[in-house]
Amino acid sequence: MASPILAASECVAPGQERVFECDVAVVGTGAGGAVAGALLAEAGLHVLFLEEGSYTPTEQLSPALSVALPRLYRDGGVSALVGTPPIPFVEGRCVGGSTLINGGMMWRPPVHVLEEWARLTGSPALGPEGMEALFLEVEDVVSARHHHPLAMGDENRLMLEGPRRQGWHVDINKRNQSLCVGTNHCVTGCPTGAKQSTLVTYVPRAIAAGARCLTETRVEALRIDSGRCVGVEARGYDPRTRKLDRRILVRSRAVVVAGGAVQTPYLLLKHGLGRPSGRLGKNLTVHPNAKVLPIYPFPIKGWQGVNQYAQIRHFHDEGILMADNMIGPAMVASHLPAHGRAAHALMERYDHMILTGVLVEDSVTGQVSRGPFGMAIARYDISEQDHARFKKGVRLLATMHFDLGATEILVPYAHTPIVRSMDELRAAEARQTKRSTLELFTVHLMGTAGMGSNARSSVTSLEGEVWDLPGCYVADASLFPTAIGVNPQLGIMALSSRVARGLASRLNRS
Amino acid sequence: MVPPMVSSPESPQPTRERAPTAAAASTPALLLADRWPMGRATERAFHAVIVALCPPEPVVPELVPRIDDHVRRLMRYMPWPMAIGLIAAFFLLDWSPLWRFQAFGRISGRASPTAAQAALNAVAHSRFLLQRTLMMAAKGAILSAFYDLPEIQRALGVDLHAHARERIELRRRLLAGEPTHAADRLGRRPDPPEMTP
């Protein structure tokens, strides 16, 4: 490879096949893959990343959705979980993965979650003390810290003022940023380079240590020889037609799969793995979210400032988190309960809006399976308990916004999407009886290849190795034994570090 | 350290270059795919739904071709069953007056955009999830393209690109240790006491 980061179309001709050799093939460059690849490369191993999305350096990132959706988002941003209700989800498909398009939260999994992981797996290494050093290391690398005051906008100030009036506890987020200046383009890729996504942290480290990256390359199968994983089979996209028209074979001593909690089990299921426990693809948790979009009588310019400055954690014991997450007008418009003139009447007040949301901890789990036409099918149905918690969370946020002076609020109820008073909200809530009319979305998918100490109850070992396929490792949110109730980025990076260190040590010994 | 080995005969020999940055602008990865091919009938239905879903004002030059271009390029990045599903949604929405027993015509045959919008409104507020999903898919694709247009954003008082340029410059100044100015502060509301953690 002439350059360390190349698209498949730049090094393999249409209809041709090319073979690569390396020590470790790493599938994905997001929070899991990039961290693993960097640590493996720095341990002296030859690493080849295989990334399905494209490479967009910071100076090429654009707030225009016409650019960001195809370059950065899986399926152009149209992925959805099947179920009641259907839940749209987004994840990154680019060098940097979801770290390039997320809000940049750096929350450690709560102590009670880590204690549960330690109990479930029988390993103190996954407990609070066992994970401490990994969290500290990752937080240092990605600069997890609070913001410079100049980054803050009026949306952020309102989201502190509102909870204070209600007497609620708010935590100011640590984010992976270095001198964030409040561009609020996090979801289309930070154009300043301040957000410390893996695009600007772990991937360059890996490259500096000798790793190489093939982009626009979809891994479709593992190569298995004598019961051991010895590489991957992939196909490369034609950049103009998006047809997978060139073959890439990778021979390696080990494979790290880090495609996220949907794509990772999809790949592993192709080979019928996870037989001992039967849990591969199961235990999908998603942290479903519901939007609450108030319109104020004064301008807020929510599109300027920090994407997620603070979280309302007053109701965390009930599994409810609330936060702001303002996004550009094109994304807001696509979720409006109107079109034509009515949509524009709302959008004319875009400058007066704040996008806030309710996140509910999962009380149920879903499942990922292999569907027809090469598609992963993720099934998830929310429970009546979750439905009730969403209604409570929406009511709480609406109360806060009306107290702050909002005149209208868009709520996630299909039959009554706009309310103008608490009385109207109560009426809308009374009509909201079916889960199918609740409008949700999600960005946190986890748990489909959970780690553990027993092949009968988990998919991967505590080292991240798939129990029934030696040489194949998982290093992404699929590993989580349970949902964590907070943004998963830091947890993924920490577990991935653990998997990579162990793998490097084994490969360097053998 | 040796980079990954290449065995096929047509491959160039591996070299040891650093990661490309600005030079990558010329790489195929930064190009967008071609537009999804559509026949005349599909295009007619699609364009009718664009006109019915987009606000008639502000008036934008070349509105339909520009939204057509945005959506059809994006379709190349979707799994093909989803792209086909989107085309089916355009057809079904175009013919919705007929299958909802409202009229014998289709949206593309209606003279008035208001009548077309009203027809789609009925689908959007249907009690059936499938009908609402059709509208959600079409609306998501088309309205996001409409509000992605710079002149529409300017009409809303929003200039994402100018804001980004301004903040990139601010960050450069902060990194260089240069002084900041009152104008660098965002917003007008007073800072709440919790602001400094």
Side-chain angles (χ1 to χ4, degrees):
Chain A
M1 288 169 68
S3 175
I5 303 180
L6 279 180
S9 60
E10 293 175 291
C11 55
V12 189
Q16 299 294 306
E17 177 179 299
R18 193 161 162 181
V19 180
F20 294 83
E21 290 183 3
C22 59
D23 288 320
V24 188
V26 178
V27 184
T29 57
V35 173
L39 298 184
L40 289 162
E42 288 171 351
L45 296 160
H46 301 164
V47 169
L48 179 62
F49 289 109
L50 296 131
E51 168 56 54
E52 188 178 358
S54 56
Y55 170 59
T56 308
T58 295
E59 59 269 30
Q60 298 283 343
L61 292 167
S62 165
L65 275 196
S66 57
V67 177
L69 285 180
R71 279 192 194 161
L72 309 182
Y73 282 73
R74 175 166 298 285
D75 302 341
V78 299
S79 309
L81 305 172
V82 179
T84 308
I87 305 179
F89 72 90
V90 293
E91 58 182 9
R93 183 172 67 186
C94 54
V95 175
S98 295
T99 70
L100 192 57
I101 56 163
N102 68 10
M105 302 299 98
M106 292 301 285
W107 286 100
R108 295 184 180 192
V111 168
H112 72 88
V113 170
L114 296 174
E115 286 171 347
E116 176 73 354
W117 286 7
R119 189 187 67 76
L120 284 172
T121 61
S123 168
L126 296 191
E129 288 175 17
M131 296 287 287
E132 176 71 16
L134 295 170
F135 291 141
L136 286 172
E137 179 191 323
V138 172
E139 286 165 345
D140 182 52
V141 172
V142 301
S143 183
R145 61 174 81 166
H146 293 117
H147 283 80
H148 191 288
L150 281 176
M152 197 178 190
D154 276 353
E155 175 204 9
N156 310 130
R157 295 184 183 98
L158 270 176
M159 284 301 288
L160 291 178
E161 196 180 324
R164 189 180 63 227
R165 284 196 197 181
Q166 305 295 324
W168 296 342
H169 172 69
V170 176
D171 274 336
I172 294 180
N173 293 320
K174 280 187 181 174
R175 298 173 73 243
N176 53 328
Q177 52 83 28
S178 172
L179 263 185
C180 167
V181 282
T183 310
N184 202 357
H185 293 336
C186 296
V187 298
T188 48
C190 179
T192 68
K195 186 167 77 169
Q196 299 296 288
S197 68
T198 58
L199 175 73
V200 298
T201 53
Y202 283 99
V203 170
R205 263 178 66 171
I207 297 295
R212 297 293 179 264
C213 181
L214 264 183
T215 65
E216 307 266 308
T217 302
R218 179 172 172 79
V219 173
E220 297 191 317
L222 302 169
R223 303 187 81 196
I224 300 172
D225 185 12
S226 305
R228 186 172 180 82
C229 187
V230 292
V232 298
E233 296 174 9
R235 284 194 294 166
Y237 286 99
D238 180 280
R240 296 185 60 187
T241 64
R242 300 289 298 163
K243 288 197 170 129
L244 289 161
D245 61 357
R246 48 207 88 198
R247 275 174 59 81
I248 291 155
L249 301 179
V250 180
R251 294 192 198 116
S252 61
R253 296 164 66 196
V255 172
V256 173
V257 184
V262 174
Q263 297 301 319
T264 288
Y266 176 80
L267 176 62
L268 301 181
L269 282 165
K270 180 183 177 79
H271 301 279
L273 298 172
R275 279 197 205 95
S277 66
R279 292 183 63 75
L280 178 59
K282 295 178 180 162
N283 193 41
L284 172 69
T285 52
V286 306
H287 288 167
N289 286 253
K291 73 168 191 302
V292 175
L293 184 71
I295 305 177
Y296 283 85
F298 46 82
I300 298 164
K301 291 191 182 293
W303 49 282
Q304 302 181 345
V306 179
N307 183 259
Q308 294 183 45
Y309 188 80
Q311 281 185 350
I312 302 169
R313 298 169 77 87
H314 197 76
F315 305 94
H316 200 200
D317 289 347
E318 298 173 57
I320 299 173
L321 283 179
M322 296 177 279
D324 60 318
N325 181 16
M326 193 57 180
I327 47 180
M331 280 193 180
V332 168
S334 66
H335 292 99
L336 291 180
H339 56 271
R341 282 184 205 281
H344 198 65
L346 290 168
M347 285 303 291
E348 280 181 318
R349 291 174 290 162
Y350 169 77
D351 226 14
H352 296 209
M353 295 175 179
I354 304 178
L355 182 59
T356 57
V358 179
L359 181 154
V360 161
E361 268 184 55
D362 307 71
S363 67
V364 292
T365 59
Q367 180 172 351
V368 175
S369 56
R370 289 181 69 87
F373 313 120
M375 291 174 67
I377 305 290
R379 169 103 207 173
Y380 187 91
D381 300 286
I382 66 162
S383 66
E384 284 300 343
Q385 183 195 348
D386 297 337
H387 188 193
R389 286 192 293 171
F390 273 117
K391 287 165 76 169
K392 176 171 182 178
V394 169
R395 186 167 65 247
L396 289 166
L397 266 184
T399 305
M400 185 192 85
H401 288 305
F402 279 131
D403 279 358
L404 282 170
T407 51
E408 285 173 73
I409 301 180
L410 278 67
V411 292
Y413 305 148
H415 294 314
T416 320
I418 302 180
V419 297
R420 291 173 184 79
S421 65
M422 284 306 290
D423 283 343
E424 285 189 15
L425 178 74
R426 278 187 280 273
E429 209 178 279
R431 280 194 293 275
Q432 175 55 38
T433 55
K434 292 182 181 170
R435 289 173 297 157
S436 62
T437 55
L438 188 62
E439 294 176 346
L440 302 177
F441 68 97
T442 185
V443 290
H444 301 165
L445 304 159
M446 300 159 280
T448 48
M451 62 192 335
S453 52
N454 189 324
R456 282 168 297 170
S457 59
S458 57
V459 177
T460 61
S461 69
L462 292 172
E463 287 72 43
E465 190 171 25
V466 177
W467 283 114
D468 46 351
L469 185 59
C472 180
Y473 292 77
V474 174
D476 60 28
S478 312
L479 289 175
F480 291 180
T482 64
I484 61 174
V486 294
N487 311 66
Q489 177 172 236
L490 176 54
I492 298 168
M493 290 176 157
L495 279 186
S496 180
S497 303
R498 179 184 149 77
V499 169
R501 288 249 159 70
L503 174 58
S505 163
R506 280 186 290 285
L507 290 177
N508 280 332
R509 271 202 311 266
S510 62
Chain B
M1 186 172 299
V2 182
M5 295 297 292
V6 177
S7 67
S8 53
E10 75 281 9
S11 309
Q13 286 302 304
T15 60
R16 297 199 59 195
E17 291 175 17
R18 289 286 173 209
T21 51
S26 61
T27 67
L30 295 181
L31 301 173
L32 292 182
D34 294 343
R35 298 189 313 154
W36 186 276
M38 280 185 186
R40 197 171 288 246
T42 309
E43 207 169 66
R44 180 182 169 188
F46 177 33
H47 290 183
V49 176
I50 292 176
V51 172
L53 286 180
C54 289
E57 289 171 346
V59 175
V60 181
E62 303 287 311
L63 174 70
V64 172
R66 289 166 76 187
I67 292 187
D68 172 294
D69 188 76
H70 174 126
V71 175
R72 284 168 67 175
R73 286 188 196 281
L74 191 60
M75 286 167 72
R76 290 277 194 188
Y77 295 84
M78 300 174 188
W80 67 263
M82 279 190 177
I84 299 289
L86 194 56
I87 288 174
F90 295 144
F91 266 113
L92 285 165
L93 291 173
D94 188 27
W95 285 101
S96 60
L98 185 68
W99 55 259
R100 286 185 59 85
F101 306 111
Q102 290 174 325
F104 276 109
R106 50 198 281 198
I107 283 175
S108 50
R110 298 200 161 193
S112 150
T114 311
Q117 284 183 9
L120 293 186
N121 217 24
V123 183
H125 294 99
S126 163
R127 62 197 177 95
F128 298 110
L129 178 62
L130 186 62
Q131 291 190 30
R132 295 200 306 271
T133 305
L134 283 180
M135 267 300 283
M136 197 169 74
K139 209 172 61 179
I142 291 169
L143 283 189
S144 63
F146 180 80
Y147 284 100
D148 200 41
L149 298 172
E151 51 267 63
I152 297 296
Q153 294 186 354
R154 278 196 295 275
L156 301 177
V158 175
D159 193 336
L160 301 178
H161 297 269
H163 175 57
R165 283 193 299 274
E166 194 181 288
R167 302 314 275 184
I168 287 169
E169 171 57 20
L170 168 62
R171 185 164 184 270
R172 186 201 62 72
R173 284 193 278 125
L174 288 171
L175 287 170
E178 293 176 23
T180 58
H181 315 295
D184 294 328
R185 186 183 189 273
L186 295 170
R188 297 177 181 173
R189 299 182 77 82
D191 288 334
E194 304 92 328
M195 200 194 80
T196 308

